[in-house]
Amino acid sequence: MSRKEPLLGALKACILNIQADKDPITDGHPQLTSLCDILEIILRKGIRQPVLGLWRRDYWHWMEQLPQQDTCSRLPQLSMALEKTLACKRTLTAQGRGRYYIRQAMNRKIMAVTIHHLLHTPRLLEWYDRESSVLTNECFAEPFLSLLLVLSQMKFTLDLENSSFLDESWLLPVCEMYNTVPCRELGMVLWYTGGRIFVTEVIAGSQAEADECVQAGDIIDEINGVALRNAKGGEAQTVLQKLRGKPLSFRMIHWKWHDGSVYRPMLPHLQLMQKEFPDFQLRYDTKSNKEMSEDRLQDDRLLYSLRYLGQVNIGMVNTVSIWWKGSTG
């Protein structure tokens, strides 16, 4: 009896669920994070690491080498997507760039094309172990490519500008534009940490407070098109000085997620900020504050209230337990 690959079953189920929605798939789709997670697991499964271990291979490393291995210039779409990925200043790691490329590939409908070219590039395909990889097993590679072709028929409209946390997580923050008129003082106190610019305080009576678009704990991701990921101390002030007297457009990453709770990948930064600035506090609304009360901080770890929903079989012996946060609002 032929061996089954549970990941392909999970991917098929996820694609069928998304396919049932005829509207364009946006970042708000409930199945999108699961889809990206499964794709990434498949692309990583069986990657062989260098013997000396001086660096760690990831799927992004073969992606960026595809045009170099193509001697017939048959990859214009892939080349454009790769160039845009390399030009993105919001991703700093191989993981972040790989995820940015996958999101681009879904928008451009070229995920299947990317894998097709990998399968016809033996020098890169050798990176994968023949026993464990989906990509080097003919029984699995063909159905995987077929699923990606189905994916290519679907319309994705993902916000590629919202990418500053792809290095850490597939889970995206709430990201909004904040436009304001020229003014002498905006009234935001800034703090630089981990290559990001946090707002530690919105000064009472300031323009920022009047606009009600910024809260303490938010991140300034961009000013007038200038990305500030991996910013050094004083960089925001330098940009603002050059734009003095002009209308300003900020891309803000909010600490508050869609359900009113804290955006999880920001928690380590916010905890550090609280230690550095004892008076710093996040402003919750009544509902989200009630939800967050179910979370507990113990020994510098966040503990969550969970409710067991059940389990689903995705293979002959593989079972995934599904959990959900206890609070339902």
Side-chain angles (χ1 to χ4, degrees), residues 256-276:
K256 189 180 293 185
W257 208 52
H258 300 283
D259 62 358
S261 64
V262 176
Y263 172 58
R264 304 301 177 188
M266 282 178 67
L267 271 172
H269 301 288
L270 296 172
Q271 289 169 341
L272 179 60
M273 194 185 304
Q274 202 159 32
K275 292 179 181 178
E276 292 285 334

Side-chain angles (χ1 to χ4, degrees), residues 45-63:
K45 187 176 182 182
I47 290 183
R48 295 187 296 186
Q49 299 302 324
V51 177
L52 296 178
L54 298 178
W55 63 287
R56 186 168 182 80
R57 277 178 179 161
D58 206 353
Y59 58 91
W60 163 249
H61 295 121
W62 64 254
M63 285 179 173

Side-chain angles (χ1 to χ4, degrees), residues 194-249:
R196 294 187 170 95
I197 305 173
F198 282 82
V199 178
T200 62
E201 181 185 356
V202 178
I203 298 173
S206 66
Q207 183 66 46
E209 185 188 52
D211 291 339
E212 297 183 337
C213 294
V214 182
Q215 288 189 19
D218 290 347
I219 295 173
I220 299 179
D221 190 49
E222 174 190 295
I223 302 177
N224 284 36
V226 179
L228 294 173
R229 177 73 174 96
N230 204 32
K232 306 297 188 294
E235 193 166 333
Q237 290 88 330
T238 301
V239 173
L240 290 171
Q241 184 68 29
K242 293 178 180 179
L243 297 170
R244 182 181 291 275
K246 298 180 180 179
L248 297 173
S249 178

Side-chain angles (χ1 to χ4, degrees), residues 3-194:
R3 181 166 61 96
K4 292 186 178 180
E5 175 50 70
L7 287 170
L8 294 181
L11 179 62
K12 180 179 179 180
C14 195
I15 289 176
L16 290 176
N17 285 335
I18 296 176
Q19 195 178 34
D21 298 326
K22 296 182 179 180
D23 294 331
I25 297 97
T26 66
D27 290 317
H29 196 285
Q31 295 286 331
L32 180 64
T33 301
S34 297
L35 171 65
C36 294
D37 267 332
I38 297 168
L39 281 174
E40 186 169 68
I41 292 170
I42 290 174
L43 294 178
R44 280 184 173 154
K45 187 176 182 182
I47 290 183
R48 295 187 296 186
Q49 299 302 324
V51 177
L52 296 178
L54 298 178
W55 63 287
R56 186 168 182 80
R57 277 178 179 161
D58 206 353
Y59 58 91
W60 163 249
H61 295 121
W62 64 254
M63 285 179 173
E64 65 176 340
Q65 289 191 37
L66 273 178
Q68 301 169 21
Q69 302 297 325
D70 175 55
T71 57
C72 301
S73 301
R74 297 171 298 176
L75 308 177
Q77 290 180 306
L78 270 69
S79 296
M80 290 175 60
L82 288 167
E83 287 174 9
K84 186 169 182 179
T85 302
L86 290 168
C88 177
K89 297 182 179 180
R90 294 184 172 88
T91 55
L92 309 178
T93 65
Q95 174 167 280
R97 293 188 181 105
R99 290 173 172 178
Y100 185 89
Y101 180 88
I102 287 175
R103 287 169 57 80
Q104 259 204 101
M106 289 194 288
N107 275 0
R108 294 173 178 260
K109 305 178 184 292
I110 59 171
M111 198 66 219
V113 175
T114 302
I115 299 303
H116 172 79
H117 282 285
L118 171 67
L119 297 178
H120 290 81
T121 310
R123 187 172 179 180
L124 296 179
L125 200 59
E126 288 176 356
W127 286 18
Y128 286 92
D129 178 70
R130 291 192 174 276
E131 294 298 321
S132 59
S133 173
V134 170
L135 297 169
T136 53
N137 186 315
E138 291 183 4
C139 296
F140 298 153
E142 186 175 341
F144 177 50
L145 193 58
S146 297
L147 288 172
L148 294 182
L149 288 171
V150 174
L151 198 67
S152 298
Q153 302 303 313
M154 299 155 63
K155 184 176 182 180
F156 288 84
T157 55
L158 309 180
D159 180 11
L160 298 179
E161 296 300 316
N162 189 357
S163 57
S164 288
F165 272 89
L166 287 177
D167 287 333
E168 293 95 333
S169 175
W170 277 114
L171 193 67
L172 300 181
V174 175
C175 193
E176 294 180 333
M177 297 303 297
Y178 161 41
N179 300 306
T180 186
V181 297
C183 57
R184 185 171 182 178
E185 298 291 342
L186 278 171
M188 292 186 287
V189 180
L190 307 181
W191 182 55
Y192 294 74
T193 181

